[in-house]
């Protein structure tokens, strides 16, 4: 039941909003028709109703600017220049991009509108449109305006990042101008994902007045999937390149074992062996012991297994070569990164 009540309330609210906009739009149409017939006396009351605080219906910002602009045009036709300038200025302050089409308005109206622009400094940036930009060939485009000659400074900066701003324009601006950004930071690196702002500040060269405007936008990256490099070779995948200390110790043990066996045999048979034969057993024992010790020392100093070392070196070189190729392909893919730019409502961090 509650859901039904809420649905009905929302529907009624939406209907009222549409009706309100419809009533304002209808009144604007009527005022335009009177204006086109040069029936200024009948157009003026309708336009004044729309901008009146007592007008009971919703008026969109665009509708309000339109009403102020045509009020100025009607008053200029009626010869009321000061009042015309006042309403033209109201339109310009609300939308600095406001202009008059010289094919639809008289030279006197154009001159009055130009006077209003000379008296009113306003700078603005049009809302950014979502775009997919390849930094190698495309640019992010901003449309800015100064209502009359002003010293203007326009910079792009990353919100919440300690990186230098990117200057897009510094100089005199009078009217509408497009500014482009290649998506690179001051260090010429690609702008990382995040929230950015274009800030425009101007100081009038006519009146000395100042004005500023700011527009926020989000930047995301679209990058082809990168390859993973090969991990370091597991020691279990490599061959032993040196004789281990354990093997060297086993050689000593073997030599000592031979010596011990020779001495045992010589001792057991000392009664039956001649002196020369016992001397031969002693010589065998000594030779076995020395051989074991020499093998140990040689293993400690010259224990490299050359063939295994060469095989391991080939495996490492193959891995390094493969990883170098992967890094090269990944660099090409990163260089092909595309920027996805979208408007943002205000300052903050990217969701």
């Amino acid at each position: 039941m509650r859901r039904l009540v809420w649905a009905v309330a929302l529907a009624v609210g939406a209907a009222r909003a549409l009706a309100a906009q419809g009533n304002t739009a209808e009144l604007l149409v009527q005022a335009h028709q009177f204006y086109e017939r040069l029936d200024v006396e009948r157009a003026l009351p309708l336009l004044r109703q729309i901008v009146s605080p007592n007008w009971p219906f919703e008026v969109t910002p665009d509708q309000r600017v339109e009403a102020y602009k045509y009020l100025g045009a009607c008053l200029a036709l009626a010869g009321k220049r000061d009042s015309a300038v006042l309403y033209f200025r109201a339109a310009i302050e609300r939308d600095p991009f406001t202009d008059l089409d010289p094919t639809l308005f008289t030279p006197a109206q154009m001159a009055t509108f130009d006077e209003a622009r000379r008296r009113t400094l306003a700078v603005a940036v049009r809302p950014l449109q979502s775009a997919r930009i390849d930094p190698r060939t495309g640019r992010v485009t901003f449309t800015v305006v100064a209502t009359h000659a002003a010293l203007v400074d326009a910079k792009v900066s990353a919100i919440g990042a300690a990186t230098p701003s990117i200057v897009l324009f510094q100089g005199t601006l009078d009217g509408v101008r497009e500014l482009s950004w290649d998506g690179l930071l001051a260090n010429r690196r690609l702008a990382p994902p995040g929230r950015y702002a274009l800030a425009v500040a101007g100081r009038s060269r006519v009146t000395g007045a100042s004005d500023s405007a700011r527009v926020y936008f989000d930047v995301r990256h679209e990058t082809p999937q990168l390859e993973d490099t090969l991990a370091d070779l597991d020691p279990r995948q490599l061959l032993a390149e040196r004789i281990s200390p354990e093997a060297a110790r086993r050689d000593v043990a073997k030599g000592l074992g031979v010596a011990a066996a020779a001495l045992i045999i010589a001792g057991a048979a000392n009664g039956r062996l001649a002196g020369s034969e016992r001397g031969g057993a002693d010589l065998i024992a000594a030779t076995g012991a020395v051989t074991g010790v020499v093998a140990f020392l040689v293993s400690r100093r010259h224990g490299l297994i050359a063939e295994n070392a060469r095989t391991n070196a080939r495996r490492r070189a193959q891995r390094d070569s493969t990883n170098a190729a992967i890094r090269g392909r990944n660099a090409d893919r990163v260089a092909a990164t595309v920027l996805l730019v979208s408007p943002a409502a205000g300052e903050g961090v990217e969701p």
Side-chain angles (χ1 to χ4, degrees), residues 225-231 318-334:
Q225 186 173 355
L226 303 181
E227 298 179 58
D228 291 326
T229 54
L230 300 181
Q318 289 173 353
R319 172 189 169 276
D320 292 343
S321 176
T322 300
N323 281 346
I326 291 173
R327 284 191 287 269
R329 290 193 295 271
N330 284 345
D332 291 339
R333 292 174 182 177
V334 170

Side-chain angles (χ1 to χ4, degrees), residues 225-248:
Q225 186 173 355
L226 303 181
E227 298 179 58
D228 291 326
T229 54
L230 300 181
D232 291 339
L233 292 175
D234 191 301
R236 292 172 296 182
Q237 297 175 293
L238 300 174
L239 301 176
E241 297 184 7
R242 291 185 175 276
I243 298 174
S244 67
E246 289 77 9

Side-chain angles (χ1 to χ4, degrees), residues 252-266:
V252 174
K254 288 177 182 178
L256 294 176
V258 171
L263 291 175
I264 290 171
I265 294 172

